[in-house]
Amino acid sequence: DHMLDQLASHGLFDVYVKATGDTHIDDHHSNEDIALAIGTALLQALGDRKGINRFGHFTAPLDEAAVEVILDLSGRPHLSCGLSIPTERVGTYDTQLVEHFFQSLVNTSGMTLHIRQLAGNNSHHIIEATFKAFARALRQATEYDLRRQGTIPSSKGVLSRS
């Protein structure tokens, strides 16, 4: 939930998650289900995406770590994740689930998402910088562009929906 707090705080999104799951086994299903729900909510909230910026790009540092996120709310799901998290766990959280979280979110939201780790050797800092950069890039992409005057941000006049 610390990383979801980053999404809400840095993205300026209202995020409320109440989840129950089989965390006595591991966090995999809860991690995946929360990402799928957030992706679905984002897809529904965006609708036809009229007037939004569509693209977002942000680089966030956290101490020695720096992560760059580039995204396109194109309606075409794709994830390119270049994280090198040095430990298998942060506390009880399996660090492999970071990429799985974003893959699940991408699959349901129809977003193209590129994540690149520029620096870092502390697993917690790398993960937190990733969520902060993602939140800021998503905020940028979803903000309304007054100059677009409510049109769809595409030269084709339409964005695909997943």
Side-chain angles (χ1 to χ4, degrees), residues 67-131:
V67 176
E68 175 184 45
V69 169
I70 305 166
L71 61 84
D72 178 6
L73 300 176
S74 63
R76 295 182 305 275
H78 174 78
L79 174 65
S80 176
C81 187
L83 293 176
S84 181
I85 302 171
T87 62
E88 290 182 14
R89 297 202 174 278
V90 171
T92 61
Y93 186 73
D94 181 349
T95 57
Q96 290 182 28
L97 294 178
V98 173
E99 182 171 353
H100 188 62
F101 176 89
F102 286 108
Q103 185 65 66
S104 298
L105 190 144
V106 160
N107 288 347
T108 52
S109 69
M111 160 190 320
T112 296
L113 177 60
H114 294 267
I115 301 170
R116 295 286 171 261
Q117 179 180 330
L118 305 175
N121 52 36
N122 178 291
S123 297
H124 181 96
H125 294 166
I126 293 164
I127 295 168
E128 188 168 338
T130 301
F131 274 83

Side-chain angles (χ1 to χ4, degrees), residues 4-162:
L4 293 178
D5 288 341
Q6 302 310 311
L7 179 60
S9 176
H10 292 280
L12 299 179
F13 298 109
D14 295 327
V15 177
Y16 176 77
V17 176
K18 182 177 181 180
T20 57
D22 55 0
T23 55
H24 61 283
I25 297 170
D26 64 23
D27 294 331
H28 180 93
H29 292 115
S30 296
N31 181 83
E32 180 178 46
D33 291 346
I34 290 167
L36 292 170
I38 290 172
T40 299
L42 180 61
L43 181 67
Q44 291 172 356
L46 289 173
D48 59 13
R49 294 172 227 146
K50 286 184 178 176
I52 65 168
N53 286 320
R54 176 181 165 183
F55 299 102
H57 178 214
F58 199 85
T59 303
L62 181 60
D63 297 341
E64 88 299 343
V67 176
E68 175 184 45
V69 169
I70 305 166
L71 61 84
D72 178 6
L73 300 176
S74 63
R76 295 182 305 275
H78 174 78
L79 174 65
S80 176
C81 187
L83 293 176
S84 181
I85 302 171
T87 62
E88 290 182 14
R89 297 202 174 278
V90 171
T92 61
Y93 186 73
D94 181 349
T95 57
Q96 290 182 28
L97 294 178
V98 173
E99 182 171 353
H100 188 62
F101 176 89
F102 286 108
Q103 185 65 66
S104 298
L105 190 144
V106 160
N107 288 347
T108 52
S109 69
M111 160 190 320
T112 296
L113 177 60
H114 294 267
I115 301 170
R116 295 286 171 261
Q117 179 180 330
L118 305 175
N121 52 36
N122 178 291
S123 297
H124 181 96
H125 294 166
I126 293 164
I127 295 168
E128 188 168 338
T130 301
F131 274 83
K132 287 178 177 180
F134 174 73
R136 287 295 189 110
L138 186 59
R139 172 179 156 189
Q140 184 181 65
T142 58
E143 286 179 338
Y144 194 77
D145 182 347
L146 291 174
R147 297 183 317 157
R148 193 158 288 288
Q149 299 179 351
T151 62
I152 293 174
S154 170
S155 59
K156 298 178 288 189
V158 66
L159 290 170
S160 62
R161 291 190 68 144
S162 298

